[in-house]
Structure formats: structure tokens, C-alpha cells
Amino acid sequence: MAALRAGLLGVGMMGRHHARVLRDIDGVELVAIADPGGDPHGVAGELTVLSDIESLIAVGIDIAVVAVPTRFHEDAALKLAAAGVHTLVEKPIAETVHAGQRMVDAFESAGLIGAVGHIERFNPALQQLRQRIAAGDLGEVFQIATRRQGPFPSRIADVGVGKDLGSHDIDLTAWVAQSTYSTVFAQTALKSGREYEDMIIASGRLANGIIVNHVVNWLSPMKERVTIVTGETGTFVADTSTGDLTLYANGTFPLEWESVTAFRGVSEGDVTRFAFPKREPLRVEHEAFRDAVLGLPSEIVTMQQGQLTLVVVEGVIESARTGQSVSF
């Protein structure tokens, strides 16, 4: 079977990595790159850097990756859908919920594969976490808490920390729990002098009853990417920056210290750090997208799923603005 002809729109900080992976996976050939800003990282190689999406489409491509600023996602995606090109769009799906829905509708009506680059779903720690939860390793899940914080990235100029970072945690939480969000309540802060929020604390509940909490900011000198899932039999801690997964099991031995036994809750048990293969998430994401286009068994983040994540992120921002919880 001939390789899928791939086009890449945007070769900035994220686009350069897409270019590398597109050149490296089987069954795909990177044939065209477009970026009105040129090629700042020198990834084009022998390819001419085209000026716009129309030029990219004109080359003749089967699939495309859109890695330009969020406000340009809709225009590029709608043109690719009209041209019959299967497309992977970087997260968030769009700048607004209305724009995202137009993208969802365009790809569904054209019968095309549309995906959103919520890459955390392909992180080995989270994939292991989801599998172990599905297998019943925690029993009933009570709570999912995430922390995603670090210094401000100067390259992000068109959205706040909610859409840039918070969308990761909202998507991965719904995916790990296999449930949509029911309610959220949030508070934000604007401390860096920009028009968008740079700090969020959001709490909520999923439709299946799990309570959730997200700490997200661009104001910490300490970079942290942690997902904590607590259930009947213990707690999983996934560090997605390292791909590590650790289980803190509830203790099984009766307590004999009187001052401690007064509390009838859980006790500390064994701690297990799991060993498993750790493949690059971006590569796994691209392979899943390729397989979906080829009609092979695959689990991608569909545009509809990306749209649901954006709806929740908008709800978080709305809750912080109004001081009221938002229901979905």
C-alpha cells in the first residue's frame, strides 16, 4: 500500500516535533510544509516552505497536521475538510465552542477522520493507569486530582492557561474515568499582565460521581505534571513528565497503636512503581491517527471529544467570571 501523503501546517515549537515524527513513522510520507512565518527551527530539509493552507492542499495530500496558533485552527480545518483531507489539529480544537462545532460538523458531513492532539492520552503512564483502573485494581474510584504548573511559556499568546494547559487535564480526566463532566466551579487569577488567566483552581464532579480537582498555572518556577487517582484499594500517582506510575496500596495489617487506631480510615500499605515500555507519546498519537485513516483498529481523540473538552474549559472560565458553578 502506498504511503499516506502528509502535509504539515505550522513548524513552530510543536510543529517541529510533528515534522520529525511524520518523517519517522511507517506508512506516512511528509510531502509538504506550510508556515507563513518561515522555518525558524530548520526542519523543512529539502521541502519548500509554502506560505499558506491553500498551497499545502494544492500539493495533493491525504492527511494533514495543523500546528498553528489556536485562532487559525478553524479556517485551516474547514479548508482541509472541503478538500477531503483527514486532519489532526493540535489542542485545543478551536478558539471558541462555536468554531469547534463547525469543525466537528464539517468533518462528520464529509466522512473524514478529524482528530485533536490531546497527547496526554498517549502518555505511557496514563495508558497504564487507565488499563489498571478498567481492570478493577482500585475498585471504585473516588477522586481524580491533577496538578499542572510551571513557568510561563512566552510562545503562547492567544489563549490563557485554561485552554493551553487545563485542557490536557480535563481531557485526560474524562478519558481515564470514562465519564463526562457534570459540574465545575473555578477560580482564576491574572498576575502576568496579560488579558488571559494564568492561574486556575477548578473543582467538579463527573457524571459517574467521581469528584475532581485541577490545579493549573503558569506562575510556578517548579514544573509539575501529576495525576492522582484515589479509590477503594489505594491511590495511583501518574507523573506524565517522566512516564512513571506508582501505586500506594491501602494497608492490610490491623493497627495496634491506640492513638492511630482511633481513626477508622485506611492505613499505609505497599508502594509499587510499575515497569512498562515507555514510547514517545507523539509517535503513538501519530500511529493511532494513521491507523484510523487506514480503517484499522485505533483509538484517537476525535473532534467531538475535543469539542467536549473545550466546552468544559469554557465552563471553567465562565465559572470563574461569574462566581457560580457551571453544569453540563
Side-chain angles (χ1 to χ4, degrees):
M1 183 179 295
L4 295 169
R5 292 172 57 83
L8 171 61
L9 179 65
V11 284
M13 293 297 290
M14 192 64 196
R16 61 176 178 165
H17 296 298
H18 283 292
R20 170 179 55 81
V21 173
L22 284 168
R23 285 190 167 106
D24 194 44
I25 61 173
D26 294 333
V28 174
E29 180 186 4
L30 180 60
V31 298
I33 287 175
D35 193 319
D39 184 16
H41 302 290
V43 300
E46 297 179 355
L47 297 176
T48 300
V49 179
L50 306 172
S51 60
D52 51 38
I53 185 65
E54 290 84 3
S55 301
L56 192 73
I57 292 171
V59 171
I61 54 178
D62 304 307
I63 62 174
V65 175
V66 175
V68 290
T70 308
R71 64 182 181 275
F72 301 123
H73 285 188
E74 181 190 9
D75 177 71
L78 294 184
K79 289 174 179 175
L80 288 162
V85 179
H86 305 285
T87 301
L88 169 65
V89 179
E90 262 303 335
K91 61 84 201 161
I93 183 174
E95 189 173 26
T96 68
V97 168
H98 294 301
Q101 191 59 52
R102 286 190 290 268
M103 292 166 60
V104 170
D105 294 342
F107 279 82
E108 286 185 351
S109 62
L112 296 167
I113 300 297
V116 183
H118 283 290
I119 195 170
E120 289 287 47
R121 291 201 196 186
F122 303 94
N123 188 286
L126 291 178
Q127 292 200 331
Q128 282 284 319
L129 172 61
R130 182 183 169 188
Q131 292 171 16
R132 293 177 183 277
I133 289 174
D137 288 9
L138 278 188
E140 180 186 355
V141 176
F142 302 148
Q143 179 188 53
I144 299 177
T146 67
R147 300 194 304 270
R148 186 175 299 268
Q149 47 194 343
F152 172 69
S154 58
R155 63 187 175 86
I156 304 297
D158 61 337
V159 295
V161 74
K163 291 181 179 177
D164 183 58
L165 290 189
S167 59
H168 280 305
D169 291 324
I170 288 168
D171 181 76
L172 74 84
T173 296
W175 177 70
V176 165
Q178 289 294 280
S179 178
T180 57
Y181 278 70
S182 176
T183 61
V184 292
F185 176 78
Q187 298 185 64
T188 61
L190 292 84
K191 299 295 184 181
S192 59
R194 302 168 66 250
E195 62 176 306
Y196 302 107
E197 80 286 345
D198 42 36
M199 176 175 281
I200 293 175
I201 294 180
S203 298
R205 187 178 294 274
L206 303 182
N208 63 2
I210 296 173
I211 58 175
V212 300
N213 187 74
H214 306 301
V215 175
V216 188
N217 74 66
W218 275 328
L219 300 176
S220 171
M222 172 189 67
K223 187 173 182 178
E224 191 175 32
R225 304 285 187 267
V226 177
T227 299
I228 304 168
V229 183
T230 301
E232 282 184 290
T233 63
T235 296
F236 276 118
V237 177
D239 186 330
T240 55
S241 63
T242 61
D244 291 329
L245 179 65
T246 304
L247 172 63
Y248 294 81
N250 292 349
T252 57
F253 296 100
L255 296 173
E256 298 179 0
W257 184 10
E258 183 178 353
S259 64
V260 176
T261 56
F263 173 62
R264 299 296 182 179
V266 302
S267 60
E268 291 180 308
D270 294 333
V271 179
T272 304
R273 181 176 171 184
F274 298 100
F276 46 83
K278 296 179 181 180
R279 302 183 65 222
E280 181 185 5
L282 188 62
R283 183 185 180 95
V284 179
E285 178 182 61
H286 271 285
E287 290 175 346
F289 177 57
R290 174 202 63 195
D291 291 349
V293 171
L294 294 174
L296 301 174
S298 176
E299 185 174 353
I300 61 172
V301 185
T302 66
M303 283 193 175
Q304 182 60 53
Q305 292 168 342
Q307 174 72 351
L308 289 175
T309 295
L310 181 58
V311 167
V312 177
V313 174
E314 292 280 21
V316 166
I317 296 170
E318 177 68 9
S319 173
R321 187 184 67 81
T322 63
Q324 304 293 321
S325 63
V326 173
S327 298
F328 306 100

